[in-house]
Amino acid sequence: DIQMTQSPSSVSASVGDRVTITCRASQTIDNFLNWYQQKPGKAPKFLIFSASSLQSGVPSRFSGSGSGTDFTLTIASLQPEDSAIYYCQQSYSTPLTFGGGTKVEIK
Amino acid sequence: QVQLVQSGAEVKKPGASVKVSCKTSGYSFTGYYLHWVRQAPGQGLEWMGWINPKSGGTRYAPKFQGRVSMTRDTPINTAFLDVSGLRPDDTAVYYCARAVEERYYDAVYWGQGTLVTVSS
């Protein structure tokens, strides 16, 4: 199985700050990397696919980059509604696997 | 619009089985893969497998092989997840999620989740 490792496990930042989350795969996955946002008590929301493509309707302050084994999710200017847990997921091969999540909190 | 509506919460005893349904609407049911993902309380997301609603073909995560079954009923646009031999650590919210064309492994549209509690 491909292991996905996210860091940090949590981050606290102020409104307007730039926030970066990293995700590392245990083997190369090309650009088969998705990002999800999950708020308490809700289903995950699909944010980014193919490492860097923004899902329709997702604010442009979210962006993704990377290929191979190292990926990043960046929130360019953190907003209060961005408080959530973010997960990466490899879509390269089954079993599909998720990172452990990064909790983003607002200071 | 695409909608996935799941069945209600369940409480089961260890060793029992549970069947969770995922009723879809707003699109062609047979056109897109459906995934099942679970989340234990306070934990991360865990992929269980997918079903191709058109053919009924399935792929399960090795961890769940032999203990889960994913089926569908195409006339009612509904997919089902059966989990047998329930254990307390199967307590989780179970989600169905739909993929998109040509990106079979992307869980784009999600159901609201079904809480399954396993307790004696």
Side-chain angles (χ1 to χ4, degrees):
Chain A
D1 298 5
I2 299 174
Q3 307 302 316
M4 307 300 294
T5 304
Q6 284 183 238
S7 62
S9 56
S10 66
V11 58
S12 181
S14 300
V15 172
D17 283 354
R18 182 183 186 89
V19 172
T20 298
I21 298 167
T22 65
C23 178
R24 174 165 288 175
S26 61
Q27 66 183 73
T28 183
I29 57 171
D30 295 336
N31 70 334
F32 290 92
L33 191 283
N34 302 325
W35 290 98
Y36 300 81
Q37 175 194 65
Q38 188 178 33
K39 297 183 178 181
K42 299 294 187 183
K45 175 184 177 182
F46 189 73
L47 290 182
I48 288 173
F49 61 96
S50 300
S52 60
S53 296
L54 208 61
Q55 176 67 5
S56 175
V58 174
S60 59
R61 62 181 179 274
F62 290 93
S63 65
S65 65
S67 67
T69 60
D70 294 314
F71 303 87
T72 60
L73 172 70
T74 299
I75 308 173
S77 177
L78 190 67
Q79 298 301 304
E81 61 268 30
D82 300 335
S83 177
I85 299 176
Y86 293 84
Y87 294 95
C88 61
Q89 174 234 331
Q90 63 83 12
S91 55
Y92 183 80
S93 66
T94 58
L96 306 182
T97 45
F98 292 85
T102 296
K103 186 173 186 178
V104 175
E105 296 178 311
I106 309 295
K107 278 183 185 174
Chain B
Q1 72 281 22
V2 175
Q3 285 195 308
L4 290 77
V5 179
Q6 299 182 222
S7 48
E10 304 262 13
V11 179
K12 296 291 184 181
K13 294 195 182 301
S17 298
V18 68
K19 187 168 189 170
V20 179
S21 67
C22 173
K23 183 168 179 58
T24 72
S25 61
Y27 72 97
S28 173
F29 177 69
T30 56
Y32 306 92
Y33 281 32
L34 282 169
H35 296 267
W36 289 93
V37 176
R38 76 177 188 180
Q39 186 171 37
Q43 302 301 307
L45 301 168
E46 183 173 34
W47 181 78
M48 301 180 71
W50 57 249
I51 182 168
N52 177 345
K54 184 174 184 178
S55 65
T58 54
R59 177 71 62 89
Y60 304 133
K63 173 178 179 177
F64 300 104
Q65 193 81 37
R67 210 162 66 87
V68 304
S69 176
M70 297 175 190
T71 58
R72 90 291 192 216
D73 187 338
T74 50
I76 60 171
N77 298 330
T78 301
F80 301 94
L81 170 70
D82 278 276
V83 184
S84 62
L86 287 167
R87 305 185 291 252
D89 63 359
D90 289 317
T91 294
V93 176
Y94 290 75
Y95 293 101
C96 60
R98 202 206 85 175
V100 293
E101 192 170 6
E102 297 183 351
R103 301 200 331 260
Y104 307 119
Y105 295 165
D106 294 357
V108 178
Y109 302 96
W110 292 67
Q112 84 277 17
T114 296
L115 175 62
V116 176
T117 303
V118 183
S119 174
S120 55

